[in-house]
Amino acid sequence: MRKQNSKVVLITGASSGIGFDAAQTLARQGHKVYAAARRVELMEPLKSEGVKVLRMDVTERQSMEEGVKAVLDMEGRIDVLVNNAGYGYFGAVENVSMEEARRQVEVNVFGLAALCKLVLPVMRNQGGGRIINTSSIAGKMVLPFGAWYHVTKYSVEALSDALRMEMKPFGVDVVMIEPGGIKTDWGIIAAKHLAESSKGTAYEKEALNEAALMHKGYSGNYLSKPRVVTRAISRAVNSRCPRARYRIGTGSSLLVFMHTVLPTRWWDAMMRGMIKIKL
């Protein structure tokens, strides 16, 4: 990449998986990348790529303010914010504690929104910028036992759509990455949470069926590799006119299409059949 095309990029959730890979890829393209996460030690290998690492917890206002300030002190601008931090905790609505539900919303929605609010004045004053929010097809369709995770991703979709329209006059693009099935540890962890939250409850049998399906799917070779998400983030960063949405990964377009065209009760029946729920 030519030097004049280099952008200052701040990416959250960069200690592992897609965030780590995206930070590394963008740095190799010539961008000035600041990788942020709670566990700074896990990002040490990125330093050899020229990436600067920051400790940031998206549930702590002060750490976000300090992280943004550090980038501005070093570079004087932020061209791209990639909101990648997030996690999923599955369980029946009745079983997931309100404390856990609030934490998931705090990380996946309010943390994302707070960081947007910190960089928006910067981007507006510098005459442009780009915000890339990692959403999911989970913001377009719903699976049983995933209510709170879906709540967060539907929220990211709504927030991003509104923000895109609001920031258009200021030259700030807002882009969503909507992965489908991606082979990462996310699904293994979510399956474990589902099994744990359902043990000894009225939902145990069906929840364990879904957890087993998730574990099998994320352990096999059917799902897309994480690189497809990194490529989408790269396109969103580098394109002169990025798309509003990059929907990628196994089953993403098909599932969203089916959820859109099928009558609601047909979709419900299909999902219940998938996890062998007997009414």
Side-chain angles (χ1 to χ4, degrees), residues 135-162:
S135 180
S136 170
I137 62 166
K140 294 292 188 180
M141 41 73 72
V142 177
L143 299 175
F145 305 117
W148 286 109
Y149 181 68
H150 289 286
V151 163
T152 67
K153 293 306 181 181
Y154 269 76
S155 297
V156 169
E157 291 280 324
L159 187 148
S160 299
D161 279 340

Side-chain angles (χ1 to χ4, degrees), residues 161-213:
D161 279 340
L163 192 59
R164 185 182 62 255
M165 291 183 281
E166 293 167 4
M167 299 310 296
K168 178 67 173 179
F170 304 105
V172 177
D173 295 308
V174 179
V175 178
M176 278 174 280
I177 307 295
E178 296 177 333
I182 306 296
K183 185 177 169 60
T184 66
D185 290 339
W186 180 93
I188 304 297
I189 296 170
K192 180 182 178 182
H193 288 161
L194 176 55
E196 291 173 348
S197 69
S198 305
K199 188 175 182 180
T201 74
Y203 307 93
E204 182 174 13
K205 181 179 178 181
E206 291 80 12
L208 289 180
N209 283 340
E210 183 171 326
L213 284 172

Side-chain angles (χ1 to χ4, degrees), residues 79-184:
D79 299 306
V80 182
L81 167 64
V82 182
N83 278 308
N84 179 69
Y87 77 105
Y89 190 103
F90 274 47
V93 173
E94 183 180 349
N95 293 340
V96 176
S97 70
M98 292 310 299
E99 290 74 20
E100 172 54 45
R102 289 189 183 96
R103 172 167 172 74
Q104 194 162 183
V105 175
E106 186 69 37
V107 172
N108 294 1
V109 183
F110 292 137
L112 177 150
L115 202 48
C116 286
K117 286 169 68 66
L118 287 172
V119 304
L120 285 175
V122 176
M123 292 181 176
R124 192 173 61 249
N125 291 335
Q126 69 193 20
R130 194 160 296 176
I131 293 176
I132 300 169
N133 292 330
T134 301
S135 180
S136 170
I137 62 166
K140 294 292 188 180
M141 41 73 72
V142 177
L143 299 175
F145 305 117
W148 286 109
Y149 181 68
H150 289 286
V151 163
T152 67
K153 293 306 181 181
Y154 269 76
S155 297
V156 169
E157 291 280 324
L159 187 148
S160 299
D161 279 340
L163 192 59
R164 185 182 62 255
M165 291 183 281
E166 293 167 4
M167 299 310 296
K168 178 67 173 179
F170 304 105
V172 177
D173 295 308
V174 179
V175 178
M176 278 174 280
I177 307 295
E178 296 177 333
I182 306 296
K183 185 177 169 60
T184 66

Side-chain angles (χ1 to χ4, degrees), residues 6-12 32-34 54 56 64-83 115-132 171-173:
S6 176
K7 298 175 181 177
V8 177
V9 180
L10 171 60
I11 179 168
T12 66
K32 297 179 179 179
V33 179
Y34 287 78
L54 304 168
M56 184 182 292
M64 288 187 282
E65 290 177 346
E66 291 174 350
V68 170
K69 183 178 184 300
V71 179
L72 292 176
D73 287 346
M74 290 289 293
E75 307 294 342
R77 62 187 298 114
I78 296 176
D79 299 306
V80 182
L81 167 64
V82 182
N83 278 308
L115 202 48
C116 286
K117 286 169 68 66
L118 287 172
V119 304
L120 285 175
V122 176
M123 292 181 176
R124 192 173 61 249
N125 291 335
Q126 69 193 20
R130 194 160 296 176
I131 293 176
I132 300 169
V172 177
D173 295 308

